[in-house]
Amino acid sequence: MKTTFKLTYELTLPFAFLLGMVLAYIVPYKLNFLTTLAWLFTNFFFIIAPIIIFIILTPSLSTRKEQSKLTNYTIISFFISGLASSILATFIISLMNYKSYSEITLNINTVALLETIINGLLKPIPLSIIASIIATYTIMKIKTVNKIMTTLNNALLQIFKIFVKILPIIAIAFGTSLYYTLKNASITAYIETLTLSLTLMLSYILILFTIIHKNLNINLKKLASYTLKIFTIGASLPSSYILLPIHLKIFTQHFQINKEIRDFVITLGAALNRSGSIIGVIASVYITSQYIILAILTAIIGFASPGIPGGTILITMPIIIDILKISNIESFSLTSIALFNGITIITAATNTITTGYITLLIHKITNKPNKSL
């Protein structure tokens, strides 16, 4: 009975999201209180996200004897994942409707590119990650500090349990906000973008699913259940940060791995994983401009965008405009951003699923191969 209740509760989130969209559609006046709730909740979560990340990452990493190895493997894995998703998305779009790069005058401003990347990294969340890694090798060696951080980490995880219970209300607010956002973009363009993004992201997830299942020898039913559940719930909470508490909960239900690895990689993934977001940028810009953008460039810039709501497309937009030589910058930017914000219902889910897969991979790499999952 207890398991049934958990499953039922978690699956109410996508229905709550749809309810929000239905309410926005049938109510003759704008439900400002729900859009305000979504805005306040998102901004509040992004404000405290650096603190959450520091509290979880520091004790999780400090308990590992192989601290450098865990950090290096994790960060490199997320970057490779984003790069792979970018290349895959561009390749598939090329097969669908190819337009030669020769039609675009590629004049990339290297200085502007470096400034964009640096500005993206000098945000609260990336700085929080850096501070956590530094603290692991310095102040966490002090017994009192270590004890305080561990206590804060345990307290935060208890708060997460309370937080998860209010998510259905937040999902309704997000559904309402999405409906109003779509009015700023053509519904035809949105459907095209959503369909293309869904195709690209499901292809990417399927490839990773096959690799993880075959190479890590994980039970097929268990892995499929985890993937389907996260994708469904992720479609109602369009943010990797907001998904973090419930992701930790669901991952724990499906896989038994070292707690410090689980907490470290999943939390870091909420900040660094941009696989789905990068695919979303490519699809949104492609539908808007009918050009294929430079995949590797998008991945590199996108990787430097954690800590900003809709940050991947906001960070990449100046460089994209410069590459494509867009004449109507305002129209192009507003349409691309509106489309991207509309499809965050699947970008966050893809980011989260990929993070879970990478967590399983890192666990396998840093532990004995006969460890059962």
Side-chain angles (χ1 to χ4, degrees):
M1 182 64 70
K2 187 176 181 182
T3 303
T4 303
F5 170 76
K6 287 183 178 180
L7 181 62
T8 302
Y9 169 78
E10 290 157 1
L11 291 180
T12 60
L13 292 175
F15 291 107
F17 180 80
L18 292 174
L19 175 60
M21 295 193 71
V22 171
L23 286 174
Y25 175 75
I26 64 176
V27 175
Y29 54 87
K30 190 172 182 179
L31 301 172
N32 289 319
F33 71 97
L34 284 176
T35 57
T36 302
L37 175 62
W39 182 84
L40 289 173
F41 185 83
T42 301
N43 280 276
F44 171 75
F45 212 86
F46 273 90
I47 288 172
I48 66 171
I51 301 172
I52 291 174
I53 288 171
F54 182 80
I55 290 176
I56 294 180
L57 291 188
T58 308
S60 298
L61 185 59
S62 64
T63 56
R64 294 292 297 178
K65 294 179 180 178
E66 304 163 326
Q67 296 160 328
S68 297
K69 183 184 291 187
L70 179 60
T71 305
N72 293 339
Y73 280 147
T74 305
I75 293 176
I76 291 172
S77 296
F78 283 129
F79 182 77
I80 292 174
S81 176
L83 190 61
S85 67
S86 180
I87 294 172
L88 175 71
T90 303
F91 175 73
I92 293 178
I93 291 177
S94 299
L95 294 178
M96 293 170 54
N97 184 20
Y98 179 73
K99 269 201 172 185
S100 172
Y101 283 119
S102 63
E103 298 181 34
I104 308 173
T105 303
L106 290 177
N107 182 22
I108 302 171
N109 187 326
T110 306
V111 175
L113 174 60
L114 290 174
E115 287 180 353
T116 301
I117 294 173
I118 292 171
N119 288 335
L121 292 174
L122 293 178
K123 298 293 179 183
I125 289 176
L127 292 176
S128 175
I129 295 171
I130 294 170
S132 173
I133 294 173
I134 293 174
T136 298
Y137 294 95
T138 55
I139 61 174
M140 284 300 287
K141 295 185 181 296
I142 303 173
K143 190 174 181 180
T144 304
V145 174
N146 197 314
K147 186 175 180 180
I148 291 173
M149 289 300 301
T150 303
T151 302
L152 288 174
N153 183 41
N154 293 334
L156 181 61
L157 294 179
Q158 292 302 314
I159 293 172
F160 275 0
K161 291 181 180 179
I162 299 172
F163 164 81
V164 166
K165 296 184 183 301
I166 67 171
L167 286 181
I169 300 173
I170 304 304
I172 293 175
F174 278 127
T176 305
S177 298
L178 175 61
Y179 177 83
Y180 294 133
T181 299
L182 292 182
K183 289 188 174 181
N184 297 325
S186 163
I187 189 65
T188 302
Y190 173 71
I191 292 173
E192 289 179 2
T193 308
L194 185 63
T195 303
L196 178 58
S197 300
L198 192 59
T199 301
L200 295 171
M201 292 183 203
L202 288 179
S203 300
Y204 185 61
I205 290 173
L206 182 60
I207 292 171
L208 292 180
F209 180 93
T210 304
I211 293 173
I212 293 296
H213 171 60
K214 294 292 184 182
N215 290 278
L216 301 190
N217 197 29
I218 298 176
N219 180 274
L220 180 63
K221 185 177 180 180
K222 184 188 294 186
L223 189 62
S225 172
Y226 163 79
T227 303
L228 181 61
K229 187 175 289 188
I230 290 296
F231 195 87
T232 305
I233 293 173
S236 52
L237 296 172
S239 166
S240 300
Y241 299 106
I242 296 172
L243 274 167
L244 176 58
I246 200 164
H247 185 206
L248 285 168
K249 176 175 180 282
I250 293 172
F251 189 91
T252 303
Q253 291 172 355
H254 286 77
F255 308 108
Q256 301 302 316
I257 72 171
N258 301 71
K259 179 181 181 299
E260 62 272 16
I261 293 179
R262 179 197 69 203
D263 291 352
F264 177 78
V265 181
I266 289 179
T267 303
L268 194 60
L272 292 185
N273 195 346
R274 290 294 174 271
S275 298
S277 302
I278 288 168
I279 292 175
V281 170
I282 292 174
S284 300
V285 172
Y286 172 72
I287 294 297
T288 307
S289 67
Q290 290 302 299
Y291 281 108
I292 303 168
I293 63 174
L294 204 57
I296 295 177
L297 184 64
T298 307
I300 293 172
I301 303 174
F303 191 73
S305 66
I308 317 163
T312 309
I313 195 163
L314 294 175
I315 289 292
T316 56
M317 189 55 63
I319 300 296
I320 290 170
I321 290 172
D322 185 58
I323 291 173
L324 300 182
K325 303 301 179 187
I326 301 299
S327 55
N328 191 339
I329 294 176
E330 182 179 3
S331 176
F332 174 81
S333 301
L334 290 176
T335 305
S336 298
I337 292 171
L339 292 174
F340 179 82
N341 288 339
I343 64 170
T344 51
I345 58 174
I346 53 176
T347 61
T350 304
N351 291 340
T352 304
I353 290 171
T354 307
T355 295
Y357 290 168
I358 290 176
T359 304
L360 295 172
L361 178 63
I362 298 299
H363 173 266
K364 186 75 171 182
I365 291 173
T366 57
N367 286 273
K368 292 182 180 180
N370 59 356
K371 190 88 172 178
S372 175
L373 292 173

